[in-house]
Amino acid sequence: MSIQMFGQPVSRGVAIGRAVLVASSRVDVAHYFIDAAHAPAEVARLRHARDTVVQEITTLKADLPPEAPPELAALLDVHLMLLNDPMLTDATRHWIEVRHYNAEWAMTAQTDVLVRQFDEMDDDYLRERKADIEQVAERVLRALAKEESLLPQVSHSRDQDGGDPLVLVANDIAPADMLQFKGSVFKGFVTDVGGRTSHTAIVARSMDIPAVVGAREASRLVRQDDWLIIDGDAGVVVVNPTPIVLEEYRFRQRQSELERARLHRLRHMPSVTLDGQPVELLANIELPGDAANALEAGAVGVGLFRSEFLFMNRNGELPDEDEQFEAYRAAVLAMSGLPVTIRTVDIGADKPLDRMAVHELRHEHALNPALGLRAIRWSLSEPAMFRQQLRAILRASAYGKVRVLIPMVAHRSEILATLDALERARQQLQDAGIPFTDVELGAMIEIPAAAMTMPLLLQHFDFVSIGTNDLIQYTLAIDRADEAVAHLYDPWHPAVLQLIANVIAMANGAGKSVSVCGEMAGDVAFTDLLLGMGLRSLSMHPSQLSSVKQRVLRADTARLAKEVGPALASADPAATWLAMNERWAQRSRSA
């Protein structure tokens, strides 16, 4: 039966493929594909883990005291029976040998299949037995966790037989886990939770694959290997579509691919408006390897290197100075002399470190992580770590043009502490005879307090970059990762636009460079408006560069500047801006 689900569209395009479920589990496990040659070794890992659990339960049963209730022994017998049941053991091995899942993923996938079967049983007693399946699976997963796999992870976008493309379905995917899937080239993904500007959505756009988040029941309603259509334009997920619907979406998919190919031809054209205004189009990257994609897409530099992704998915072991230096240097060298702006670590809120990491317990249990110890606040609370990162960045500056960007800065005390930390890092390198060059220091404008105290920031910083995602979140008091209030997250809100316009005007007036590096930069709906405000630098995901460049090439900034004032003064800026541009388009057509 075909069904439709609705969520938030976060990455445009159409994806069609078979569902791959990342099943939820109380045990956090890795999900990745293995090389076919290593399937026997992975099956052996699974078998060893199962045998370990069998031995544990057998020992527990043998050591039961005489006064133990007989039901306990019976329960242990049920768990032993399940561990030897082909529905669990053989089927789990099938996921490894045929689909090339790692052992942990195979176990969670088969557990999900069995739990669904139990849910559909009419008998209440049998239906409740799914808890036994989950408990047994959790024991096996814990056993697997004690012997970390050293097998290489590989990339697949199709089934083992080379037939059907794959799409990912999950309750949620952490940003760091998204990066693990980055090389897998899944054709698209859908999650139960999340919002348009959650970091999971942002990484999806950087992967340039169609995605829908906040689909509520997707991971419960979709089954392994169901055919799915993910409409990243409308936020619709179609499960097991009819042939007519499938053909319609295949046509849309072909049209989208043709449009992308046409836009791709613009990538190396100079980005200049109709009235001769050059506009700097930069790229946002998460890892050094993304720099090559940025160059290929036509970026003239990196406007935002999110260094926090070097700190995540590491089981609490933070990268040392040399490891960070090598990563930053790799990105700088890959950009071949073009500028690279490295943001200091922005940990917190929807980008937590692993549970064992420093300070994790402190902010994991915070009442509101978005307002807690994150970004520059966390860095300043760990001065040794912060200076270590600054030294690594400064060392990389010896290999190209590097700029440092400080996230979430708002207080004079934070500015002075940051300047002091940077000076100490410089002095330490100088004393050690390690080469570095001067770097420009910038502030991210993502808190209303920062936007309203621009004169203070401009005294101390060389440039500013507007992080629209957090600026909107904090201005409107909206948790951007919470789909329950996603409809209130409004980039067109008059307060948001007025703050952005004021920041751009004040930076331009002071002769300091200003850019936008949030999601608004890559949204063509805002390109003309930002240009009309006086912005001449935008940083976005490489996949969005060509679309934005097309708008830049067609823009007349002199005309746009005249229309910004009425739009900002309006109670409904979006409607006012749209109406003014439609009238201009009509006049152009009649002329």
Short mmCIF file of all heavy atoms in Angstrom, two decimals, residues 160-210:
data_model
loop_
_atom_site.label_atom_id
_atom_site.label_comp_id
_atom_site.label_asym_id
_atom_site.label_seq_id
_atom_site.Cartn_x
_atom_site.Cartn_y
_atom_site.Cartn_z
N GLN A 160 24.06 -4.77 -3.15
CA GLN A 160 25.19 -5.59 -3.54
C GLN A 160 25.07 -6.07 -4.99
O GLN A 160 26.05 -6.19 -5.69
CB GLN A 160 25.31 -6.79 -2.59
CG GLN A 160 26.31 -7.85 -3.00
CD GLN A 160 27.70 -7.30 -3.10
OE1 GLN A 160 28.00 -6.26 -2.54
NE2 GLN A 160 28.57 -7.97 -3.82
N ASP A 161 23.84 -6.31 -5.45
CA ASP A 161 23.69 -6.80 -6.82
C ASP A 161 23.80 -5.68 -7.86
O ASP A 161 23.66 -5.92 -9.05
CB ASP A 161 22.36 -7.54 -6.98
CG ASP A 161 21.15 -6.64 -6.73
OD1 ASP A 161 21.36 -5.42 -6.53
OD2 ASP A 161 20.02 -7.15 -6.71
N GLY A 162 24.04 -4.47 -7.41
CA GLY A 162 24.22 -3.36 -8.33
C GLY A 162 22.93 -2.80 -8.88
O GLY A 162 22.95 -1.99 -9.78
N GLY A 163 21.80 -3.21 -8.32
CA GLY A 163 20.52 -2.84 -8.88
C GLY A 163 19.95 -1.53 -8.38
O GLY A 163 19.92 -0.54 -9.10
N ASP A 164 19.49 -1.52 -7.15
CA ASP A 164 18.65 -0.42 -6.67
C ASP A 164 19.43 0.59 -5.84
O ASP A 164 20.19 0.20 -4.96
CB ASP A 164 17.50 -0.97 -5.83
CG ASP A 164 16.66 -1.97 -6.60
OD1 ASP A 164 16.51 -1.78 -7.82
OD2 ASP A 164 16.16 -2.94 -6.00
N PRO A 165 19.21 1.88 -6.08
CA PRO A 165 19.82 2.91 -5.22
C PRO A 165 19.21 2.85 -3.82
O PRO A 165 18.12 2.30 -3.62
CB PRO A 165 19.47 4.22 -5.93
CG PRO A 165 18.26 3.89 -6.74
CD PRO A 165 18.40 2.46 -7.15
N LEU A 166 19.92 3.41 -2.86
CA LEU A 166 19.51 3.34 -1.46
C LEU A 166 19.23 4.73 -0.90
O LEU A 166 19.89 5.69 -1.26
CB LEU A 166 20.61 2.68 -0.62
CG LEU A 166 21.07 1.30 -1.05
CD1 LEU A 166 22.24 0.84 -0.17
CD2 LEU A 166 19.94 0.29 -1.00
N VAL A 167 18.23 4.80 -0.01
CA VAL A 167 17.96 6.03 0.73
C VAL A 167 17.93 5.69 2.22
O VAL A 167 17.57 4.57 2.61
CB VAL A 167 16.63 6.69 0.30
CG1 VAL A 167 16.70 7.16 -1.12
CG2 VAL A 167 15.44 5.74 0.50
N LEU A 168 18.30 6.64 3.05
CA LEU A 168 18.49 6.41 4.47
C LEU A 168 17.27 6.88 5.26
O LEU A 168 16.75 7.97 5.00
CB LEU A 168 19.74 7.18 4.93
CG LEU A 168 20.35 6.83 6.28
CD1 LEU A 168 20.84 5.40 6.30
CD2 LEU A 168 21.51 7.78 6.57
N VAL A 169 16.83 6.08 6.21
CA VAL A 169 15.69 6.42 7.06
C VAL A 169 16.10 6.23 8.52
O VAL A 169 16.64 5.18 8.88
CB VAL A 169 14.46 5.53 6.75
CG1 VAL A 169 13.27 5.93 7.62
CG2 VAL A 169 14.09 5.62 5.28
N ALA A 170 15.87 7.23 9.36
CA ALA A 170 16.29 7.15 10.76
C ALA A 170 15.41 8.05 11.61
O ALA A 170 14.76 8.97 11.10
CB ALA A 170 17.75 7.56 10.92
N ASN A 171 15.41 7.79 12.91
CA ASN A 171 14.75 8.72 13.82
C ASN A 171 15.46 10.06 13.79
O ASN A 171 14.83 11.11 13.70
CB ASN A 171 14.73 8.14 15.24
CG ASN A 171 14.15 9.12 16.24
OD1 ASN A 171 14.88 9.79 16.97
ND2 ASN A 171 12.83 9.22 16.27
N ASP A 172 16.77 10.03 13.85
CA ASP A 172 17.59 11.23 13.74
C ASP A 172 19.00 10.79 13.40
O ASP A 172 19.38 9.64 13.61
CB ASP A 172 17.57 12.02 15.06
CG ASP A 172 18.14 13.43 14.88
OD1 ASP A 172 18.26 13.88 13.73
OD2 ASP A 172 18.45 14.07 15.89
N ILE A 173 19.75 11.70 12.83
CA ILE A 173 21.15 11.41 12.48
C ILE A 173 21.98 12.56 13.00
O ILE A 173 21.77 13.72 12.61
CB ILE A 173 21.35 11.28 10.96
CG1 ILE A 173 20.32 10.32 10.36
CG2 ILE A 173 22.76 10.80 10.65
CD1 ILE A 173 20.33 10.30 8.85
N ALA A 174 22.91 12.28 13.89
CA ALA A 174 23.78 13.32 14.42
C ALA A 174 24.66 13.87 13.30
O ALA A 174 25.00 13.16 12.36
CB ALA A 174 24.65 12.76 15.54
N PRO A 175 25.03 15.15 13.39
CA PRO A 175 25.88 15.73 12.34
C PRO A 175 27.15 14.94 12.08
O PRO A 175 27.55 14.74 10.94
CB PRO A 175 26.19 17.13 12.89
CG PRO A 175 25.06 17.45 13.79
CD PRO A 175 24.66 16.14 14.41
N ALA A 176 27.80 14.47 13.14
CA ALA A 176 29.04 13.72 12.95
C ALA A 176 28.76 12.39 12.25
O ALA A 176 29.56 11.93 11.44
CB ALA A 176 29.71 13.47 14.30
N ASP A 177 27.61 11.76 12.55
CA ASP A 177 27.26 10.52 11.86
C ASP A 177 26.95 10.80 10.39
O ASP A 177 27.22 9.97 9.52
CB ASP A 177 26.06 9.86 12.53
CG ASP A 177 26.39 9.32 13.92
OD1 ASP A 177 27.58 8.98 14.13
OD2 ASP A 177 25.50 9.25 14.76
N MET A 178 26.36 11.97 10.11
CA MET A 178 26.11 12.34 8.73
C MET A 178 27.40 12.37 7.93
O MET A 178 27.44 11.97 6.77
CB MET A 178 25.44 13.72 8.67
CG MET A 178 23.95 13.70 8.97
SD MET A 178 22.98 12.78 7.76
CE MET A 178 23.37 13.69 6.28
N LEU A 179 28.47 12.81 8.57
CA LEU A 179 29.75 12.87 7.87
C LEU A 179 30.26 11.47 7.56
O LEU A 179 30.94 11.26 6.56
CB LEU A 179 30.78 13.63 8.72
CG LEU A 179 30.53 15.13 8.83
CD1 LEU A 179 31.58 15.77 9.73
CD2 LEU A 179 30.52 15.78 7.47
N GLN A 180 29.94 10.48 8.41
CA GLN A 180 30.32 9.11 8.11
C GLN A 180 29.61 8.62 6.85
O GLN A 180 30.15 7.84 6.08
CB GLN A 180 29.99 8.19 9.28
CG GLN A 180 30.87 8.42 10.50
CD GLN A 180 30.59 7.42 11.60
OE1 GLN A 180 29.71 6.58 11.48
NE2 GLN A 180 31.34 7.50 12.67
N PHE A 181 28.37 9.08 6.65
CA PHE A 181 27.62 8.67 5.48
C PHE A 181 27.98 9.51 4.25
O PHE A 181 27.54 9.22 3.15
CB PHE A 181 26.12 8.81 5.74
CG PHE A 181 25.57 7.78 6.68
CD1 PHE A 181 24.93 8.16 7.85
CD2 PHE A 181 25.70 6.43 6.40
CE1 PHE A 181 24.43 7.21 8.72
CE2 PHE A 181 25.19 5.48 7.27
CZ PHE A 181 24.55 5.86 8.43
N LYS A 182 28.79 10.54 4.46
CA LYS A 182 29.06 11.50 3.38
C LYS A 182 29.65 10.82 2.16
O LYS A 182 29.28 11.11 1.03
CB LYS A 182 29.99 12.59 3.89
CG LYS A 182 29.98 13.85 3.07
CD LYS A 182 30.65 14.97 3.83
CE LYS A 182 30.48 16.30 3.13
NZ LYS A 182 31.01 17.41 3.90
N GLY A 183 30.58 9.91 2.38
CA GLY A 183 31.19 9.22 1.26
C GLY A 183 30.34 8.11 0.69
O GLY A 183 30.66 7.55 -0.36
N SER A 184 29.26 7.73 1.38
CA SER A 184 28.46 6.61 0.94
C SER A 184 27.54 6.97 -0.22
O SER A 184 27.04 6.10 -0.90
CB SER A 184 27.58 6.10 2.09
OG SER A 184 28.28 6.04 3.29
N VAL A 185 27.30 8.26 -0.39
CA VAL A 185 26.47 8.76 -1.47
C VAL A 185 25.11 8.08 -1.48
O VAL A 185 24.65 7.60 -2.50
CB VAL A 185 27.16 8.61 -2.84
CG1 VAL A 185 26.51 9.53 -3.87
CG2 VAL A 185 28.62 8.91 -2.77
N PHE A 186 24.46 8.01 -0.32
CA PHE A 186 23.05 7.64 -0.30
C PHE A 186 22.32 8.66 -1.17
O PHE A 186 22.66 9.84 -1.20
CB PHE A 186 22.50 7.69 1.12
CG PHE A 186 22.80 6.47 1.94
CD1 PHE A 186 23.87 6.45 2.81
CD2 PHE A 186 22.03 5.33 1.82
CE1 PHE A 186 24.17 5.33 3.56
CE2 PHE A 186 22.31 4.21 2.56
CZ PHE A 186 23.37 4.19 3.44
N LYS A 187 21.30 8.21 -1.85
CA LYS A 187 20.60 9.10 -2.77
C LYS A 187 19.74 10.13 -2.06
O LYS A 187 19.33 11.13 -2.65
CB LYS A 187 19.74 8.28 -3.73
CG LYS A 187 20.53 7.33 -4.62
CD LYS A 187 21.53 8.09 -5.47
CE LYS A 187 22.30 7.15 -6.39
NZ LYS A 187 23.31 7.86 -7.18
N GLY A 188 19.43 9.91 -0.78
CA GLY A 188 18.64 10.86 -0.01
C GLY A 188 18.43 10.31 1.38
O GLY A 188 18.82 9.18 1.68
N PHE A 189 17.80 11.11 2.24
CA PHE A 189 17.49 10.60 3.57
C PHE A 189 16.27 11.30 4.15
O PHE A 189 15.89 12.41 3.75
CB PHE A 189 18.70 10.68 4.51
CG PHE A 189 18.93 12.03 5.14
CD1 PHE A 189 18.27 12.40 6.30
CD2 PHE A 189 19.84 12.91 4.59
CE1 PHE A 189 18.49 13.64 6.88
CE2 PHE A 189 20.07 14.15 5.16
CZ PHE A 189 19.38 14.51 6.31
N VAL A 190 15.65 10.62 5.12
CA VAL A 190 14.48 11.15 5.81
C VAL A 190 14.62 10.81 7.29
O VAL A 190 15.07 9.72 7.64
CB VAL A 190 13.17 10.59 5.23
CG1 VAL A 190 13.16 9.07 5.24
CG2 VAL A 190 11.96 11.12 5.99
N THR A 191 14.28 11.77 8.17
CA THR A 191 14.34 11.53 9.61
C THR A 191 13.01 11.90 10.26
O THR A 191 12.23 12.69 9.73
CB THR A 191 15.46 12.35 10.28
OG1 THR A 191 15.17 13.75 10.16
CG2 THR A 191 16.81 12.05 9.66
N ASP A 192 12.78 11.33 11.43
CA ASP A 192 11.55 11.62 12.18
C ASP A 192 11.57 13.02 12.76
O ASP A 192 10.52 13.66 12.89
CB ASP A 192 11.39 10.62 13.34
CG ASP A 192 11.25 9.20 12.88
OD1 ASP A 192 10.93 8.99 11.69
OD2 ASP A 192 11.46 8.28 13.69
N VAL A 193 12.74 13.48 13.19
CA VAL A 193 12.84 14.75 13.91
C VAL A 193 13.76 15.70 13.15
O VAL A 193 14.40 15.32 12.17
CB VAL A 193 13.36 14.54 15.35
CG1 VAL A 193 12.43 13.62 16.12
CG2 VAL A 193 14.77 13.95 15.34
N GLY A 194 13.85 16.93 13.66
CA GLY A 194 14.76 17.91 13.07
C GLY A 194 14.03 19.06 12.41
O GLY A 194 12.83 18.99 12.12
N GLY A 195 14.76 20.14 12.20
CA GLY A 195 14.23 21.33 11.54
C GLY A 195 15.08 21.73 10.37
O GLY A 195 16.15 21.16 10.13
N ARG A 196 14.63 22.73 9.63
CA ARG A 196 15.29 23.13 8.40
C ARG A 196 16.72 23.59 8.62
O ARG A 196 17.58 23.40 7.76
CB ARG A 196 14.48 24.24 7.72
CG ARG A 196 15.14 24.75 6.46
CD ARG A 196 14.26 25.67 5.65
NE ARG A 196 15.00 26.23 4.53
CZ ARG A 196 15.35 25.59 3.43
NH1 ARG A 196 14.99 24.32 3.30
NH2 ARG A 196 16.04 26.17 2.48
N THR A 197 17.00 24.19 9.76
CA THR A 197 18.35 24.69 9.99
C THR A 197 19.07 23.92 11.09
O THR A 197 20.04 24.41 11.66
CB THR A 197 18.32 26.19 10.35
OG1 THR A 197 17.46 26.37 11.48
CG2 THR A 197 17.83 27.01 9.18
N SER A 198 18.59 22.72 11.41
CA SER A 198 19.38 21.87 12.30
C SER A 198 20.67 21.50 11.58
O SER A 198 20.75 21.53 10.35
CB SER A 198 18.60 20.59 12.64
OG SER A 198 18.41 19.81 11.48
N HIS A 199 21.69 21.16 12.34
CA HIS A 199 22.98 20.89 11.70
C HIS A 199 22.95 19.61 10.87
O HIS A 199 23.71 19.46 9.92
CB HIS A 199 24.10 20.86 12.74
CG HIS A 199 24.56 22.23 13.11
ND1 HIS A 199 25.55 22.90 12.43
CD2 HIS A 199 24.11 23.09 14.05
CE1 HIS A 199 25.72 24.09 12.95
NE2 HIS A 199 24.85 24.24 13.94
N THR A 200 22.04 18.70 11.19
CA THR A 200 21.86 17.53 10.33
C THR A 200 21.39 17.97 8.95
O THR A 200 21.89 17.49 7.93
CB THR A 200 20.83 16.57 10.95
OG1 THR A 200 21.30 16.15 12.23
CG2 THR A 200 20.61 15.36 10.06
N ALA A 201 20.45 18.91 8.91
CA ALA A 201 19.95 19.42 7.63
C ALA A 201 21.05 20.16 6.87
O ALA A 201 21.16 20.06 5.65
CB ALA A 201 18.75 20.33 7.86
N ILE A 202 21.85 20.91 7.61
CA ILE A 202 22.93 21.67 6.97
C ILE A 202 23.93 20.74 6.30
O ILE A 202 24.37 20.96 5.17
CB ILE A 202 23.63 22.57 8.01
CG1 ILE A 202 22.67 23.69 8.45
CG2 ILE A 202 24.91 23.18 7.44
CD1 ILE A 202 23.17 24.50 9.62
N VAL A 203 24.29 19.66 7.00
CA VAL A 203 25.23 18.71 6.41
C VAL A 203 24.61 18.01 5.21
O VAL A 203 25.28 17.73 4.22
CB VAL A 203 25.71 17.69 7.46
CG1 VAL A 203 26.63 16.65 6.84
CG2 VAL A 203 26.46 18.41 8.59
N ALA A 204 23.29 17.75 5.28
CA ALA A 204 22.61 17.15 4.13
C ALA A 204 22.74 18.03 2.90
O ALA A 204 22.99 17.54 1.79
CB ALA A 204 21.14 16.91 4.46
N ARG A 205 22.58 19.33 3.08
CA ARG A 205 22.73 20.24 1.95
C ARG A 205 24.16 20.26 1.45
O ARG A 205 24.41 20.41 0.25
CB ARG A 205 22.25 21.64 2.33
CG ARG A 205 20.74 21.78 2.33
CD ARG A 205 20.29 23.21 2.48
NE ARG A 205 20.45 23.71 3.84
CZ ARG A 205 19.58 23.50 4.82
NH1 ARG A 205 18.50 22.78 4.60
NH2 ARG A 205 19.78 23.99 6.02
N SER A 206 25.11 20.12 2.36
CA SER A 206 26.51 20.09 1.92
C SER A 206 26.80 18.83 1.11
O SER A 206 27.68 18.82 0.25
CB SER A 206 27.45 20.17 3.13
OG SER A 206 27.53 18.93 3.80
N MET A 207 26.04 17.75 1.38
CA MET A 207 26.18 16.52 0.60
C MET A 207 25.43 16.62 -0.73
O MET A 207 25.60 15.78 -1.61
CB MET A 207 25.65 15.33 1.40
CG MET A 207 26.45 15.01 2.65
SD MET A 207 25.58 13.89 3.77
CE MET A 207 25.51 12.41 2.77
N ASP A 208 24.57 17.64 -0.84
CA ASP A 208 23.80 17.88 -2.05
C ASP A 208 22.92 16.69 -2.40
O ASP A 208 22.88 16.24 -3.55
CB ASP A 208 24.74 18.21 -3.22
CG ASP A 208 23.97 18.83 -4.40
OD1 ASP A 208 22.86 19.35 -4.17
OD2 ASP A 208 24.48 18.76 -5.53
N ILE A 209 22.20 16.17 -1.40
CA ILE A 209 21.26 15.10 -1.66
C ILE A 209 19.89 15.50 -1.12
O ILE A 209 19.81 16.21 -0.12
CB ILE A 209 21.69 13.75 -1.03
CG1 ILE A 209 21.79 13.86 0.49
CG2 ILE A 209 22.99 13.26 -1.64
CD1 ILE A 209 22.06 12.53 1.18
N PRO A 210 18.80 15.08 -1.77
CA PRO A 210 17.46 15.43 -1.29
C PRO A 210 17.23 14.88 0.11
O PRO A 210 17.64 13.77 0.44
CB PRO A 210 16.53 14.74 -2.31
CG PRO A 210 17.38 14.57 -3.53
CD PRO A 210 18.76 14.32 -3.02
#
